[in-house]
Amino acid sequence: MDIVFLLSHIPNPRMNKRIDVAKKIGNTALISLDRKSYHIWEVQHKDIKNIIIPMPISTNPLKRVFQISLFAIKALRHLNKFKPKLIYVGNLDMLLIAYIYSLRSNVKIIYEVGDLNKLIIDEPKKTSLKLLRKLLIFIESKLCKRINYLVVTSEKFYEMYYSKFIPESKLVFMPNIPDFKAFENYSPKKEGAFTVGFIGGIRYIKQLKMLVDVAGKLNINVLIAGAGFNKNEEKELREYCYGRDYVIFTGRYDYMTDVANLYQQCDCIYSVYDADLNNVKIALPNKLYESIYCNLPIIVSKGTYLAELVEKMGVGVAVNHRNSMELEDVLKKMIVDSNYYNSLVEATYKYKEDLDIKKYNKKLTDRIQKLIV
């Protein structure tokens, strides 16, 4: 086996793009944990070997360690059978497993980070959590000595954290640019009530509730597409929206077949997250690139790296993530002032040509090919 993806969840659209790159280079397989409380996506690449290991993962640290250990035992058995030249991992838990396997082999490792661990990036107040944070940083820094490349979706991840123990020569920046194949049938919305779309895994419930409340005041529609990262949060949001006919829930969707249809139901995209979290401040979600590609204005949180880019490009607007009045004013202006709305739409056309995932895929392809020769 040339390449094995070792993931803590069913591959999301971002990881599916990485698998798509890998399987064109060599024989590829997937070993994935399927968390029963975190089943948001379906397996997309049916033409590779898929080892899916279902297992509930607790939020209790001690239970989690035990459950991840059980998964690790199973994953290592499969790795011993596959004998891969390269393991592509998606978070710290999986990096630890790959590290253990590497102690008995010459396997190469690529470590991709789509989000920084909240405990690491947000300084905890409790002494116990501070000690745990130091331990996690120590462990990650040691494990990263074994990696060949670090892939990040936001360069800020490297600047703020990984630059402390990983040389820049190992850095690969892979922005969350959409897979254009999924948008081949996309066509802009032409009629119907003004609709704000939230498309992706459901989280940051307070900000979604704020959108729902504001939309009710303005008599506009809300489209919420995706499943919850936390089932209890998704249930809470659905109950909050019960009886509000202007809110449409689609639930889980297939990215490649459904995402274009979802975007073409929207007039703007909502990507307002809890900017009190440092991870949110520096992340670059795929909604930025998807909204530009679909020529839709995007609303984001003030005080974030995402807001800096959005306002610099003029493709959207930033609001205070805790201020419903700011959101109401922005949406009202989009609805009433067609010149303002059209200026945001027109700005997206300037950057559409820059969304060339092929050049980033080529960069990743070159790195992988060097490692598996």
Side-chain angles (χ1 to χ4, degrees):
M1 187 67 68
D2 293 310
I3 307 153
V4 169
F5 281 77
L6 182 61
L7 305 178
S8 61
H9 53 74
I10 301 295
N12 56 21
R14 172 168 53 85
M15 277 301 177
N16 278 324
K17 285 183 283 186
R18 308 294 186 258
I19 294 173
D20 194 47
V21 169
K23 71 182 187 180
K24 293 174 183 175
I25 301 170
N27 195 11
T28 302
L30 165 69
I31 301 174
S32 172
L33 175 63
D34 181 6
R35 307 184 193 191
K36 300 197 174 177
S37 61
Y38 192 75
H39 191 93
I40 299 174
W41 302 282
E42 297 291 345
V43 174
Q44 180 179 311
H45 293 279
K46 304 290 179 65
D47 56 341
I48 67 172
K49 182 71 173 177
N50 290 289
I51 305 297
I52 309 300
I53 302 173
M55 188 176 295
I57 300 297
S58 174
T59 55
N60 181 290
L62 291 177
K63 288 183 179 179
R64 179 186 173 88
V65 168
F66 175 72
Q67 291 162 340
I68 290 295
S69 297
L70 290 179
F71 171 79
I73 292 170
K74 295 180 180 181
L76 287 167
R77 286 174 184 164
H78 289 292
L79 287 172
N80 286 327
K81 291 178 183 177
F82 287 139
K83 294 180 172 55
K85 297 176 182 177
L86 168 66
I87 303 177
Y88 199 114
V89 299
N91 66 11
L92 187 56
D93 291 343
M94 302 301 108
L95 178 58
L96 176 58
I97 298 171
Y99 176 88
I100 293 170
Y101 179 77
S102 74
L103 296 175
R104 297 179 294 170
S105 72
N106 294 318
V107 71
K108 304 297 191 295
I109 300 173
I110 293 180
Y111 180 34
E112 176 158 344
V113 177
D115 280 308
L116 290 183
N117 188 300
K118 180 182 176 182
L119 185 60
I120 287 175
I121 197 67
D122 292 306
E123 183 73 44
K125 295 179 180 179
K126 292 183 179 179
T127 302
S128 59
L129 291 179
K130 286 182 179 181
L131 292 173
L132 180 58
R133 178 178 183 270
K134 287 183 179 180
L135 177 61
L136 284 176
I137 293 173
F138 173 79
I139 291 173
E140 188 165 25
S141 64
K142 294 301 178 185
L143 296 182
C144 282
K145 289 183 177 181
R146 285 268 177 174
I147 71 171
N148 297 90
Y149 290 109
L150 170 74
V151 176
V152 296
T153 56
S154 172
E155 291 166 308
K156 292 289 184 181
F157 292 161
Y158 183 76
E159 290 177 24
M160 290 189 66
Y161 179 61
Y162 288 104
S163 60
K164 297 171 185 176
F165 50 85
I166 297 177
E168 194 171 356
S169 59
K170 291 186 176 184
L171 177 66
V172 182
F173 174 50
M174 292 289 290
N176 264 322
I177 294 174
D179 186 336
F180 296 134
K181 293 177 184 176
F183 291 87
E184 286 177 351
N185 298 319
Y186 172 79
S187 59
K189 180 171 174 277
K190 295 179 180 178
E191 57 184 16
F194 191 94
T195 300
V196 183
F198 180 88
I199 301 171
I202 296 173
R203 51 183 172 172
Y204 308 112
I205 302 300
K206 288 182 180 179
Q207 284 67 47
L208 283 171
K209 287 181 177 180
M210 183 171 76
L211 171 62
V212 170
D213 290 341
V214 170
K217 289 182 181 179
L218 298 178
N219 197 30
I220 61 177
N221 290 344
V222 174
L223 171 68
I224 299 175
F229 284 87
N230 182 300
K231 286 187 176 180
N232 291 330
E233 286 187 343
E234 180 181 347
K235 181 182 178 183
E236 179 185 339
L237 182 63
R238 285 182 178 274
E239 289 176 351
Y240 188 78
C241 296
Y242 181 78
R244 304 183 196 230
D245 296 336
Y246 60 90
V247 181
I248 302 166
F249 273 96
T250 70
R252 207 166 32 151
Y253 62 89
D254 182 281
Y255 188 86
M256 293 303 294
T257 59
D258 299 334
V259 73
N261 178 58
L262 293 170
Y263 268 87
Q264 67 189 25
Q265 297 177 51
C266 303
D267 295 280
C268 77
I269 299 302
Y270 188 74
S271 188
V272 177
Y273 298 156
D274 185 355
D276 291 330
L277 303 173
N278 286 323
N279 187 48
V280 171
K281 290 178 182 177
I282 61 176
L284 291 180
N286 60 352
K287 292 183 183 68
L288 169 64
Y289 309 104
E290 291 171 342
S291 62
I292 291 174
Y293 185 77
C294 294
N295 305 121
L296 295 171
I298 185 169
I299 303 174
V300 301
S301 303
K302 281 183 176 178
T304 63
Y305 181 41
L306 176 60
E308 287 180 32
L309 296 181
V310 165
E311 294 187 323
K312 181 180 178 181
M313 293 187 287
V315 297
V317 62
V319 299
N320 188 311
H321 66 284
R322 290 176 291 178
N323 191 324
S324 62
M325 287 304 299
E326 285 193 18
L327 178 60
E328 184 175 340
D329 289 343
V330 163
L331 286 172
K332 194 180 295 181
K333 190 173 182 180
M334 284 189 187
I335 298 164
V336 175
D337 189 344
S338 59
N339 289 331
Y340 172 70
Y341 178 82
N342 290 334
S343 70
L344 298 175
V345 172
E346 288 170 11
T348 63
Y349 285 92
K350 299 176 187 176
Y351 300 95
K352 200 166 181 176
E353 291 184 1
D354 295 336
L355 301 181
D356 186 3
I357 194 173
K358 292 179 183 177
K359 69 178 182 179
Y360 292 101
N361 284 347
K362 185 181 184 309
K363 183 166 58 175
L364 183 60
T365 297
D366 292 342
R367 303 295 196 282
I368 291 176
Q369 286 177 332
K370 289 178 182 178
L371 295 179
I372 66 172
V373 170

